[in-house]
Amino acid sequence: MHGNGVLNHREALNKMLNNKIKRGYENLETIVHTDQGTVYSSVSFNNMFNSYNVTRSMSRAGTPTDNPVIESKNGWMKKEMHIDFDKNNYNTVQEFIDDVVWDNNNYRPSFALQYKNPVEYRTQLGFK
């Protein structure tokens, strides 16, 4: 979604981290889990983490079981994207991804969240 270059990924990471600060979560730990791709293992990309409260999580090459929770979530989200959304109705990939994420956060109840969706659960806990 961000292209293949390190600069594109740095820009996306910077945007995400600045959004975290804007939403008032500056002091909360963030975990970023990635694979062993060239971009994610670059010195330039990794130096950005030094300025924020971020824990780096990286799978070992060829071992998606290093973070089974994320791998599982990504797997079922990809499956639902093909079943529940018509990707041909979107002008850009960004619009499509935004719609999938919005749907997941606002409509999809979760057993782990007492059958609430993530927005309901966070609101109940007093988060913005």
Side-chain angles (χ1 to χ4, degrees), residues 73-126:
K73 173 107 173 154
N74 286 344
W76 63 254
M77 279 188 77
K78 287 178 188 176
K79 196 176 294 180
E80 287 182 356
M81 287 166 66
H82 291 291
I83 295 169
D84 297 338
F85 295 89
D86 182 2
K87 61 183 172 268
N88 296 318
N89 287 339
Y90 295 90
N91 294 320
T92 66
V93 172
Q94 185 65 52
E95 287 176 14
F96 177 63
I97 298 298
D98 288 346
D99 203 21
V100 170
V101 170
W102 192 90
D103 187 76
N104 182 71
N105 285 333
N106 292 281
Y107 286 116
R108 193 174 200 289
S110 171
F111 171 77
L113 304 178
Q114 292 122 22
Y115 293 102
K116 294 177 179 68
N117 66 48
V119 170
E120 290 172 327
Y121 188 76
R122 285 191 306 262
T123 302
Q124 179 185 8
L125 293 176

Side-chain angles (χ1 to χ4, degrees), residues 31-100:
I31 298 173
V32 175
H33 180 76
T34 63
D35 60 15
Q36 286 281 334
T38 307
V39 169
Y40 304 114
S41 56
S42 77
V43 173
S44 175
F45 184 79
N46 284 292
N47 282 342
M48 291 193 61
F49 291 97
N50 297 332
S51 303
Y52 299 94
N53 186 18
V54 175
T55 298
R56 197 58 209 281
S57 169
M58 186 181 287
S59 296
R60 294 169 293 158
T63 57
T65 55
D66 278 355
N67 194 333
V69 173
I70 295 297
E71 297 296 338
S72 176
K73 173 107 173 154
N74 286 344
W76 63 254
M77 279 188 77
K78 287 178 188 176
K79 196 176 294 180
E80 287 182 356
M81 287 166 66
H82 291 291
I83 295 169
D84 297 338
F85 295 89
D86 182 2
K87 61 183 172 268
N88 296 318
N89 287 339
Y90 295 90
N91 294 320
T92 66
V93 172
Q94 185 65 52
E95 287 176 14
F96 177 63
I97 298 298
D98 288 346
D99 203 21
V100 170

Side-chain angles (χ1 to χ4, degrees), residues 16-32 49 51-56 122 125-128:
M16 183 271 297
L17 293 172
N18 285 328
N19 192 30
K20 173 187 170 186
I21 293 168
K22 218 184 294 181
R23 293 178 64 200
Y25 301 133
E26 182 175 8
N27 296 321
L28 296 178
E29 180 184 38
T30 298
I31 298 173
V32 175
F49 291 97
S51 303
Y52 299 94
N53 186 18
V54 175
T55 298
R56 197 58 209 281
R122 285 191 306 262
L125 293 176
F127 291 101
K128 296 177 186 179

